[in-house]
Amino acid sequence: MPVIDGSALWVYLSATPLFWLSLTLLTWMAMDKVSHLAGRHSLLNPVLTTIAVLSVGLVATGTEYRVYFDGAQFVHFLLGPATVALAVPLYHNRALVARNLLPMLAALVVGSTVAIVSAVGIVALAGSPADLMISIAPKSVTTPVAMAVAETLGGVPALAALMVIATGIFGAMVVTPLMDALGITDKAGRGFAVGLAAHGVGTARAFAVDPVSGAFAGVAMALNALITPILAPLLLRFFL
Amino acid sequence: MIRGITILLTCQLIGEMLTRVLHLGVPGPVLGFAGLVAILLVLSARGDIDDSLVSASDLGRVSNVLLSCLSLLFVPAGVGVIRHLGVIGAHGIAMAAAVALSTVVTMIATVWTFVLVRRLTERRRADGGTGDDACR
């Protein structure tokens, strides 16, 4: 009779990319279901809950992030092609975008500047070290862009990624109540604001609410990713 | 499926190569996105493609699938939080305050600018002024 050796099985599972990849997807599906059952309540944002569950699991089992990422990288890799794929909804909404070119460009320059200056200003007031100030500067742009900006300017890329995701989750959580409180009913404006401030996570939220908002969010996210690498070094000079 | 993902990856690859060769400082996927938008607009202007053709195409379907699960793609980087528990302990409050306040202020500034400029340009258009030219 074969003896079931749990520790040997764990040795295999904890080291194979298959396990961590499957676990990431299973956790995501479970948390998405939870969010759905809770009527998409913003506190149960599936990105937030999935990260929380997986992080607790990794810390509890003493698993290193590097080992986890060996599996999860297959999901992470799709961020690149997904960013390119934003071209398709933008193409479908080209007429709407062309009509709003001037408001978009004005909102882009103002929003991107405010995003960088306000974030860096707050951590500077708190007396945080320079590398933290640099890492938080690109917090409103999508992960690969923010990591590249942080690295170029002397920040910590992984910390930048963390700020970006926290910003995305927070933005996706507050956008609907915030815009309602401000009395903004313009779907294009709402989408553009959340896409600029909260990149892909905000864009995903905008698409879930309304396709027009989603298209504008996608445009804002892409434009901000183009302008932040130029603005961040210029604006950081005032703080460093 | 193969055709769609190949188009997306090739656009990203060309973007990555351009940004490195030309030292643009703009990430490859963003250049790939801009390139694909330009290609779609040019093909559309020539009458080679239209909305229904793009929606039904392999590229349209793959893009739809990828964008429908966009938020999942941020999970692996987010779990990276476990590597920075020390920094978070030391500066967590300042970081959380900066993220929360800055995100709210950014959304307000962005949406107000957007709505304000839109009203101004629409008024000029309604007055028969140069609003149309400015937005063309």
Side-chain angles (χ1 to χ4, degrees), chain A residues 61-192:
Chain A
T61 56
T63 307
E64 275 184 55
Y65 180 70
R66 187 177 42 79
V67 175
Y68 166 76
F69 196 77
D70 273 348
Q73 63 175 315
F74 301 105
V75 170
H76 181 76
F77 179 79
L78 293 175
L79 267 178
T83 304
V84 179
L86 285 167
V88 174
L90 177 57
Y91 168 76
H92 284 306
N93 288 284
R94 61 196 180 283
L96 202 57
V97 171
R99 267 206 306 280
N100 292 289
L101 209 53
L102 213 57
M104 278 171 35
L105 291 180
L108 169 69
V109 175
V110 171
S112 190
T113 304
V114 170
I116 296 167
V117 171
S118 60
V120 177
I122 291 167
V123 290
L125 279 178
S128 300
D131 59 343
L132 196 62
M133 285 160 59
I134 297 168
S135 304
I136 206 168
K139 68 152 192 13
S140 281
V141 294
T142 191
T143 319
V145 181
M147 292 174 82
V149 169
E151 182 147 43
T152 316
L153 301 178
V156 186
L159 210 52
L162 194 60
M163 303 295 178
V164 167
I165 289 154
T167 300
I169 294 169
F170 185 77
M173 280 165 57
V174 299
V175 60
T176 304
L178 176 68
M179 292 298 158
D180 288 346
L182 292 174
I184 306 282
T185 51
D186 182 340
K187 286 174 187 171
R190 289 170 75 120
F192 196 83

Side-chain angles (χ1 to χ4, degrees), chain A residues 47 55 58 65 80-81 88 91-92 94 98 100 102 111 115 118 129 139 143 145 158 162-163 165 167 170 186 197 222 226 229, chain B residues 12 25 27 30 33 44 51 55 63 71 74 76 78-81 83-84 91 95 100 102-103 106-107 110 113-114 118 121 135:
Chain A
V47 186
S55 298
L58 290 178
Y65 180 70
V88 174
Y91 168 76
H92 284 306
R94 61 196 180 283
N100 292 289
L102 213 57
S118 60
K139 68 152 192 13
T143 319
V145 181
L162 194 60
M163 303 295 178
I165 289 154
T167 300
F170 185 77
D186 182 340
L226 287 168
Chain B
Q12 184 186 350
V30 175
F33 155 84
S44 171
D51 282 7
S55 295
S63 298
S71 36
F74 291 92
V79 175
V81 66
R83 280 190 301 179
H84 301 286
H91 304 284
M95 284 155 64
S102 168
T103 305
T106 303
M107 284 202 279
T110 307
T113 309
F114 187 95
R118 184 147 132 158
T121 52
C135 294

Side-chain angles (χ1 to χ4, degrees), chain A residues 8-32:
Chain A
L9 183 62
W10 174 246
V11 167
Y12 162 71
L13 284 179
S14 63
T16 178
L18 175 65
F19 177 69
W20 296 112
L21 177 60
S22 311
L23 198 67
T24 300
L25 297 176
L26 287 169
T27 309
W28 171 262
M29 286 170 69
M31 292 301 129
D32 195 46

Side-chain angles (χ1 to χ4, degrees), chain A residues 45 47 164-165 168-169 172 198-206 221, chain B residues 70-71 74:
Chain A
N45 179 303
V47 186
V164 167
I165 289 154
I169 294 169
H199 57 89
V201 185
T203 300
R205 167 74 193 169
M221 164 182 162
Chain B
L70 185 61
S71 36
F74 291 92

Side-chain angles (χ1 to χ4, degrees), chain B residues 50-128:
Chain B
D50 59 27
D51 282 7
S52 54
L53 204 68
V54 171
S55 295
S57 71
D58 205 45
L59 173 68
R61 279 179 285 130
V62 170
S63 298
N64 223 343
V65 170
L66 273 178
L67 293 176
S68 67
C69 60
L70 185 61
S71 36
L72 160 69
L73 311 184
F74 291 92
V75 167
V79 175
V81 66
I82 61 168
R83 280 190 301 179
H84 301 286
L85 297 176
V87 185
I88 293 166
H91 304 284
I93 294 169
M95 284 155 64
V99 163
L101 286 176
S102 168
T103 305
V104 168
V105 171
T106 303
M107 284 202 279
I108 295 174
T110 307
V111 81
W112 277 354
T113 309
F114 187 95
V115 171
L116 181 74
V117 175
R118 184 147 132 158
R119 270 186 208 145
L120 290 175
T121 52
E122 273 170 7
R123 191 173 304 159
R124 284 169 72 192
R125 220 176 291 183
D127 292 344

